[in-house]
Amino acid sequence: ESGCGKSTLGRLLLGLLPPTQGQVFFDGRDLAACSPRDLRALRRQMQMVFQDPYASLDPRFTVEKIISEPLKAYGMSKEEQHQVVLELAGKVGINPDYLNRYPHQFSGGMKQRVVIAIALCCEPSLLLADEPTTALDVTIQAQVLMMMKELRERLGTSMILITHDLGIVAQVCDNVGVMYAGEIIEYGSLVDIFKNEKHHPYTVGLFGSIPRLDVETKRLSPIDGLMPDPTQKIEGCSFAPRCPYATERCRKEKPGVYTEGTHQIKCFRYTDAVAEEEVSE
């Protein structure tokens, strides 16, 4: 849901927001402990596709100048910059004849292609895509997602995708983390999340809010209530006020993590069940 901390976590991972505690490891280095100079050198390997392409592009510059700006920062000559921009335009499906145009002359889908080209220009090993298809219609969404998937496979780039759409997750991702109130409350492979019978109550609620073609129902089952205020300290499980299974213990204590293979669930329903099994044995 909006407000659960997805974009904030993404910006923390890339060092765009200063972390107040904890560690972020990338290629064996703790980014939270890096100096600004070291982080600048590492940032060439980490790029982000921001949520709103309209706000990401400077209207005063042509598309070619916008895409080549990171290349200029890393010391490429104008001839080298132009060649790289031409290659990127071909990869992301931008007509080279349009590179001298300004952002306002592009459609929403083409703006998103420009933003993706900017992120790929330094050939990063990690690409963080923050809801890259939110502002696009369904047909253009499919085109952009297919393009990103092909580029990821061709360039060998790892990708963290932030999205509300579980259908997109099913098409693009290998592993899935479900966030609520700033915490990852469930994590696992695509099979764990979409096929496993055990789930966090919040994940069950997310799936219940999606219409299904194979199930006939008069109404969807949305999650009652609203996301908690992120500025307020929460005692116990953050989902307890909206959870149909919540007990008094849930409202007072933080749950542990239940682990089964690659599947992790942060909920007393499963950690307590494991503890009972161990006692009975």
Side-chain angles (χ1 to χ4, degrees):
E1 291 175 286
S2 294
C4 74
K6 302 183 300 296
S7 297
T8 300
L9 178 60
R11 290 168 183 263
L12 281 167
L13 293 177
L14 299 191
L16 301 179
L17 292 174
T20 55
Q21 61 183 17
Q23 296 173 301
V24 179
F25 284 100
F26 175 77
D27 199 20
R29 299 187 64 177
D30 182 8
L31 301 183
C34 285
S35 66
R37 172 175 285 187
D38 292 339
L39 197 58
R40 179 179 172 84
L42 279 170
R43 192 161 283 141
R44 182 168 185 170
Q45 301 175 48
M46 306 176 293
Q47 294 294 322
M48 186 168 185
V49 177
F50 291 94
Q51 187 170 348
D52 184 4
Y54 297 88
S56 302
L57 303 175
D58 194 322
R60 300 170 298 170
F61 299 136
T62 63
V63 165
E64 179 170 5
K65 188 168 183 180
I66 292 171
I67 296 174
S68 62
E69 190 173 3
L71 302 172
K72 182 181 177 182
Y74 285 105
M76 277 194 183
S77 66
K78 286 188 177 181
E79 292 75 16
E80 289 174 323
Q81 291 174 36
H82 181 68
Q83 191 59 40
V84 170
V85 171
L86 285 177
E87 291 175 5
L88 280 170
K91 288 179 180 177
V92 300
I94 299 173
N95 189 326
D97 296 336
Y98 296 169
L99 290 173
N100 288 324
R101 295 186 178 184
Y102 291 85
H104 72 272
Q105 296 174 292
F106 282 69
S107 66
M110 294 304 292
K111 282 189 178 79
Q112 194 61 277
R113 290 171 188 265
V114 173
V115 172
I116 292 169
I118 296 169
L120 294 175
C121 67
C122 293
E123 298 184 352
S125 54
L126 174 63
L127 179 65
L128 199 151
D130 186 1
E131 299 185 36
T133 60
T134 298
L136 309 178
D137 62 65
V138 177
T139 304
I140 303 301
Q141 275 189 25
Q143 292 176 4
V144 170
L145 285 170
M146 186 60 66
M147 179 194 69
M148 293 181 69
K149 192 173 181 179
E150 290 174 356
L151 289 170
R152 185 192 68 184
E153 292 170 356
R154 191 191 316 164
L155 301 175
T157 300
S158 296
M159 181 169 70
I160 297 176
L161 177 67
I162 295 172
T163 181
H164 297 281
D165 194 327
L166 290 171
I168 291 175
V169 171
Q171 292 178 39
V172 178
C173 299
D174 300 313
N175 299 296
V176 186
V178 181
M179 283 196 72
Y180 185 81
E183 295 181 282
I184 294 179
I185 47 90
E186 184 168 356
Y187 181 84
S189 67
L190 204 61
V191 173
D192 291 333
I193 303 300
F194 282 82
K195 298 292 185 181
N196 203 323
E197 294 182 358
K198 296 178 180 178
H199 290 296
H200 192 282
Y202 179 63
T203 308
V204 174
L206 292 180
F207 279 108
S209 302
I210 302 172
R212 293 179 56 179
L213 297 177
D214 60 335
V215 177
E216 185 175 346
T217 180
K218 292 184 178 180
R219 296 184 65 86
L220 297 176
S221 302
I223 306 170
D224 293 331
L226 298 171
M227 185 77 63
D229 185 346
T231 63
Q232 301 297 317
K233 187 175 180 180
I234 302 171
E235 288 188 11
C237 175
S238 56
F239 188 60
R242 306 172 69 184
C243 181
Y245 307 103
T247 64
E248 193 60 32
R249 183 186 180 193
C250 296
R251 296 181 177 88
K252 293 181 178 180
E253 297 179 31
K254 291 287 185 185
V257 179
Y258 165 80
T259 302
E260 183 179 344
T262 56
H263 197 186
Q264 299 177 344
I265 305 173
K266 202 170 187 180
C267 182
F268 280 124
R269 292 183 70 204
Y270 302 107
T271 56
D272 287 352
V274 171
E276 288 174 6
E277 287 178 8
E278 290 175 351
V279 169
S280 62
E281 289 176 359

